[in-house]
Amino acid sequence: MASTAQQTQQTDPQPKRTAILAAALDRFAELGVNGVAVPDIASRAQVGTGTIYRYFQNKEALVNALFQEEKLRFGEYLAQTRNRQGSPRELFDQHWQQMVGFAREHPKSFRFLELQDHLPYLDDSSRELERQVLQRLVKPSRTLQQQGVFRRDIRAEIIMATVWGAFVNLMKAERAGYIELSDRDINDARDACWRMCAS
């Protein structure tokens, strides 16, 4: 019977590229983009350093490929709305739970996407993808404003950025060991964000 690695090689047309991206995600999430050298990624991926340059022109190209892959993963995860017919509050709670789910199920991806040291590396394609994903997050806030559910004295972009910032910092504080989050704590933070947004 074929091992998981063998099955991956049989179904993945570029298994070395996949291994390089996985290794880069591991190392970047752990040490940040600036703290990782290309040979370190090669070692983790079990390929030669020259192999990386066959797939990616330089470290910047590798960072962009990884950023785009993980940002798409995040966008697709959030698009999995289970109940589009719920009340505004139910949809907000569901959206919050999806953010929690992504951070819990894909902690390396979440950490990498929230690192700030990759920003100077991002090219126009990565920045455009970021804008597209952000717009998908802003759109529900704008709709709720139009329905009179969310306050209108603050732009929808500011509302979403504030909610996202609160969530990200909550997860960072837990990861850093400053706080230990229970389900109740996470729900309390969600409720506080709702109260801040509601009209």
Side-chain angles (χ1 to χ4, degrees), residues 98-118:
Q98 285 175 308
M99 294 193 303
V100 173
F102 185 83
R104 294 279 193 252
E105 293 173 31
H106 305 283
K108 293 175 184 176
S109 179
F110 181 77
R111 174 155 170 69
F112 169 68
L113 291 174
E114 289 315 307
L115 289 172
Q116 297 303 307
D117 65 350
H118 64 234

Side-chain angles (χ1 to χ4, degrees), residues 124-141:
D124 290 343
S125 296
S126 292
R127 291 179 186 278
E128 178 57 29
L129 178 60
E130 171 86 334
R131 280 191 289 271
Q132 290 173 8
V133 172
L134 287 176
Q135 281 306 308
R136 282 192 296 230
L137 294 175
V138 169
K139 187 176 179 181
S141 295

Side-chain angles (χ1 to χ4, degrees), residues 74 95-115 162-190 193:
F74 174 63
H95 183 69
W96 180 271
Q97 194 54 48
Q98 285 175 308
M99 294 193 303
V100 173
F102 185 83
R104 294 279 193 252
E105 293 173 31
H106 305 283
K108 293 175 184 176
S109 179
F110 181 77
R111 174 155 170 69
F112 169 68
L113 291 174
E114 289 315 307
L115 289 172
T162 303
V163 171
W164 180 247
F167 175 75
V168 167
N169 281 293
L170 194 67
M171 295 294 107
K172 283 183 177 179
E174 179 185 50
R175 187 176 60 248
Y178 296 131
I179 56 176
E180 192 172 314
L181 292 174
S182 66
D183 288 344
R184 178 175 177 177
D185 294 327
I186 292 172
N187 291 341
D188 285 346
R190 176 202 65 199
C193 287

